[in-house]
Amino acid sequence: MFDKIEYWLGLCDEDFITAKWLLRGERWLYTAYFCNQIAEKALKAAVANVTDEVPPKTHDLYKLAKYSRITEDLTDAHRVFLNKIARYQIEARYPEYKNQSAALLDAEKCGQMLNETEDFLCWIKQRLER
């Protein structure tokens, strides 16, 4: 793998550890935010793999999937997952969304989200090993 790819995957691994700690600390909204960050960085690793360049500075998960040329390979479960976590890029940050979004989360939902994030990250890593 290229250094650029290792960089993004290393950030994913660090963020995953952080997300697990946030989940244990019952910081639901920030667990969701870090799940979003992990997916974004995994997709940026996939973009770097395809382009051998620094990925674009966007947080749009679907654009990153398109740039990485994996949109056709995404399963329905991947699409549902990306759609679910895309909201936490913005909603974890801005007051008009923060409380509303936080109220929708709990230990079970965040635990499931973290599991889905891990599955997505493993899927991306497997693709990069080809």
Side-chain angles (χ1 to χ4, degrees):
M1 288 189 195
F2 302 103
D3 288 346
K4 293 177 193 92
I5 298 166
E6 289 296 329
Y7 170 78
W8 291 107
L9 292 179
L11 292 176
C12 290
D13 293 340
E14 290 175 19
D15 286 355
F16 191 78
I17 292 167
T18 301
K20 288 196 301 190
W21 277 103
L22 290 166
L23 179 62
R24 286 187 199 117
E26 299 181 3
R27 305 284 297 186
W28 315 134
L29 187 59
Y30 298 102
T31 302
Y33 173 75
F34 270 86
C35 288
N36 172 282
Q37 290 297 290
I38 294 162
E40 179 182 322
K41 292 168 186 173
L43 287 167
K44 287 185 177 188
V47 171
N49 183 56
V50 170
T51 65
D52 195 27
E53 296 178 6
V54 175
K57 294 179 181 176
T58 181
H59 305 293
D60 186 317
L61 301 178
Y62 286 102
K63 281 185 183 177
L64 291 168
K66 183 179 176 183
Y67 295 148
S68 68
R69 300 182 191 139
I70 65 165
T71 49
E72 293 179 9
D73 297 332
L74 291 171
T75 65
D76 288 342
H78 291 145
R79 292 175 196 281
V80 168
F81 165 71
L82 292 175
N83 188 52
K84 177 172 45 176
I85 65 163
R87 69 185 301 176
Y88 296 107
Q89 170 59 29
I90 293 175
E91 295 188 14
R93 296 178 183 211
Y94 296 99
E96 61 268 29
Y97 302 113
K98 186 175 179 179
N99 293 336
Q100 179 184 359
S101 294
L104 300 174
L105 297 169
D106 59 25
E108 183 179 341
K109 289 177 185 172
C110 285
Q112 178 63 32
M113 191 180 304
L114 194 58
N115 288 336
E116 292 170 352
T117 301
E118 183 175 31
D119 290 345
F120 184 74
L121 178 57
C122 289
W123 181 75
I124 292 285
K125 285 181 176 180
Q126 287 173 350
R127 292 184 58 79
L128 297 178
E129 290 175 0
R130 292 182 193 172

